[in-house]
């Protein structure tokens, strides 16, 4: 039998007093560091940016508990599949904060998510963002969201919701972090699938704008840490006249519209697609291969952006390490039916893309191998 425990008044007198941080005066949420009024002002400041991204399927407006989006268009598909992706910008944000330039990292955020779901042939439909910030200032958030809105317009998706979270005591006042979530749709018969890749298929690369949003922990360590603001903002001949700061903050390219245009113009010609992100070509292209195939990439068949060579030289990376760290000039690689490669390249060029024939699919075991070793920086145009 369990004994019953009782507490009498004498025992209560021995109880500990209230903790020292529990004072008698009231403390408001604003005094704790969270300004809800500034949050409301921030929402008002971004409304025009958000509205500019809307598609006809958007229902309602921002400010509700959930974003609404009609999927009526999918009724014309044979077997519609929703495709989702989530990502962030990573430590590239530290470069933006150092530079005081916040209007492009939002493009990076959308790009990382939208390019990912594009890899299976999906059209991005809508996007949601999450902004965590040390001290909320409506103007600063509006600048960040302006970039997110621009990214959504480039990707053709609607920005239908998000969250701005103020984190006093957790983050420094000027510090912030971004994450995003994208949903798209693809008809199953038109979905890009690594299992459809065949030996002899052609690799068509699409040019990147620089490092995109990967490898910045290394890039900052060798190119930013210990440098003065003057050094970071100095125009450099080896960067084509750009400064280190400018080159590092070049926004990630969004490939959605040109690739979807080519897929529509050349149905069935593209077998699979790889978005080249963290891990470089070596650790992303293999994700678009079936078990019995390798990708053989011809080094020297595309130009390496000046900032990629600059960072790799500063870090003393050998060729192999560079290819599994950065995109090295190829932000996306399409695996294409060899009989239709020229057709696909023409469609991509018509959509404004720069393309490079960078290799082929060979028999193997789902790996990426390189021909012309030592020629990574040898492109002659």
């Amino acid at each position: 039998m369990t004994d019953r425990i009782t507490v009498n008044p004498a025992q209560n007198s021995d109880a500990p007093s209230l903790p020292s941080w529990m004072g008698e005066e009231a403390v408001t949420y604003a005094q704790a560091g969270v300004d809800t009024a500034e949050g409301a002002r921030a929402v008002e400041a971004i409304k025009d940016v958000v509205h500019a991204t809307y598609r006809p399927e958007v229902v309602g407006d921002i400010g509700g508990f959930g974003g609404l989006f009609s999927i009526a268009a999918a009724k014309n598909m044979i077997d519609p599949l929703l495709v989702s992706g989530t990502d962030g910008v990573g430590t590239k944000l530290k470069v933006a904060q150092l530079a005081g330039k916040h209007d492009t990292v939002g493009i990076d955020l959308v790009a990382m998510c939208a390019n990912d779901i594009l890899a299976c042939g999906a059209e991005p439909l809508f996007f949601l963002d999450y902004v965590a910030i040390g001290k909320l200032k409506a103007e600063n958030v509006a600048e960040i969201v302006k970039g997110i809105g621009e990214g959504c317009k480039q990707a053709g998706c609607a920005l239908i919701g998000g969250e701005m979270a103020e984190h006093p005591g957790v983050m420094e006042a000027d510090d912030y972090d971004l994450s995003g979530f994208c949903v798209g749709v693809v008809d199953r018969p038109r979905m890009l699938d690594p299992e459809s890749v065949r030996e002899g298929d052609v690799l068509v690369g699409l040019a990147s704008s620089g490092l995109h949003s990967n490898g910045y922990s290394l890039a900052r360590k060798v190119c930013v840490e210990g440098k003065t603001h003057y050094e970071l903002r100095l125009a450099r001949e080896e960067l084509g006249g750009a400064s280190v700061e400018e080159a590092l903050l070049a926004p990630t390219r969004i490939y959605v519209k040109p690739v979807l245009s080519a897929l529509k113009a050349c149905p069935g010609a593209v077998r699979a697609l790889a978005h080249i992100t963290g891990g470089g070509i070596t650790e992303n292209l293999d994700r678009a291969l079936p078990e019995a195939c390798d990708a053989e990439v011809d080094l020297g068949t595309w130009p390496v952006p000046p900032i990629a060579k600059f960072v790799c030289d500063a870090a003393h990376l050998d060729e192999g390490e560079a290819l599994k760290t950065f995109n090295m000039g190829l932000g996306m690689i399409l695996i294409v039916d060899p009989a239709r490669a020229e057709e696909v390249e023409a469609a991509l060029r018509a959509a404004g893309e720069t393309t490079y024939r960078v290799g082929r699919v060979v028999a193997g075991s789902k790996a990426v191998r390189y021909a012309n070793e030592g020629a990574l920086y040898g492109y002659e145009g």
Side-chain angles (χ1 to χ4, degrees), residues 48 56 78 80 92 105 117 141 161 167-168 181 194 210 213 215 217 226 232 252 262 292 323 326 332 335 346-347 362:
D48 288 346
I78 297 171
K92 186 173 185 176
V105 288
I117 69 170
V141 171
H167 288 175
F181 181 79
S213 297
S217 294
L232 296 177
T252 305
L323 288 161
F326 302 109
M332 191 158 279
I335 303 179
V362 296

Side-chain angles (χ1 to χ4, degrees), residues 17-41:
S17 59
L18 291 174
S20 60
W21 45 264
M22 291 184 65
E24 295 181 357
E25 295 183 0
V27 180
T28 66
Y29 205 10
Q31 288 172 320
V34 177
D35 190 343
T36 55
E38 186 69 5
R41 199 164 77 85

